[in-house]
Amino acid sequence: MTQPHDPFRKDGDQPAAQQPGQYPPPAPGAGYSQQYGQPQAQQYGQPYGQQYGHPGFADPRATTYYLGYLGQEYGPYDYTALQQMASATRIKPDTTLRLADTQQYVLARDVPGVFSDKEWLTTLILSWLIGSLGIDRFYLGYTGLGILKLLTCGGFGIWALIDAVLVTMRKIPDSQGRALR
């Protein structure tokens, strides 16, 4: 009985005895760069030491962006212009941006450093429920104001109410001056 042709076996190699249910390891040089079971070298991904882990953001400060609004694009804008528009609430976290060099579409909240890593809804809930204890200010990174608000019981309720209204209107940034997500 003749064996069927095996494309992974060189001429003259004898087939190894196999038990049912076992598969032989792939032959070297059959499209595999390494031996079976050996760790493979990383062939893709970002190099080690890159600061930003999001694809397309090797350095967001060196990228030009186009703003997408109601089916039209506006721009080009640089990174500092995006930060200024975010702090002035002219763009929202859900605003669509296109990177000029890669033609990739992203949301404004995904560009590192434009918006805060703090959530607006979390801040709103903290401000309305336990704002008189200063927890909302601690969450935003204002430690000194949080302690002062805690010691005065939210400015006897007045400061807590004003903060709750300001957070509702998105007028309070985080401690680094970035708009909340």
Side-chain angles (χ1 to χ4, degrees):
M1 179 183 232
T2 62
Q3 294 285 336
H5 176 66
D6 187 358
F8 297 112
R9 184 165 293 125
K10 295 178 183 177
D11 293 332
D13 287 346
Q14 297 296 323
Q18 296 180 27
Q19 295 182 3
Q22 290 185 337
Y23 298 100
Y32 296 95
S33 59
Q34 297 177 346
Q35 281 293 97
Y36 180 73
Q38 298 296 321
Q40 295 184 2
Q42 184 176 0
Q43 301 173 14
Y44 51 86
Q46 297 178 357
Y48 293 108
Q50 185 169 341
Q51 185 176 1
Y52 301 102
H54 195 282
F57 290 118
D59 186 9
R61 294 177 295 272
T63 307
T64 304
Y65 301 92
Y66 289 90
L67 203 97
Y69 183 71
L70 295 175
Q72 294 188 358
E73 286 189 344
Y74 301 95
Y77 297 104
D78 62 345
Y79 182 74
T80 55
L82 283 180
Q83 286 181 321
Q84 291 170 353
M85 287 191 294
S87 63
T89 64
R90 290 184 19 220
I91 62 171
K92 296 190 186 304
D94 295 332
T95 302
T96 305
L97 299 174
R98 181 176 61 86
L99 285 79
D101 51 353
T102 62
Q103 304 297 319
Q104 178 182 8
Y105 287 91
V106 295
L107 295 176
R109 72 170 153 241
D110 294 333
V111 179
V114 173
F115 283 94
S116 174
D117 57 341
K118 309 293 188 215
E119 294 284 335
W120 172 77
L121 186 61
T122 305
T123 308
L124 183 69
I125 292 170
L126 289 173
S127 185
W128 280 105
L129 294 181
I130 49 178
S132 61
L133 300 176
I135 305 300
D136 55 342
R137 291 294 184 156
F138 284 117
Y139 175 71
L140 291 176
Y142 297 108
T143 308
L145 290 176
I147 292 171
L148 190 61
K149 198 171 176 183
L150 176 66
L151 294 177
T152 62
C153 292
F156 304 108
I158 297 170
W159 186 5
L161 181 64
I162 292 171
D163 270 358
V165 171
L166 288 175
V167 167
T168 304
M169 295 175 17
R170 294 182 179 256
K171 297 294 182 185
I172 297 182
D174 70 351
S175 63
Q176 296 174 348
R178 296 180 300 184
L180 303 177
R181 287 181 170 221

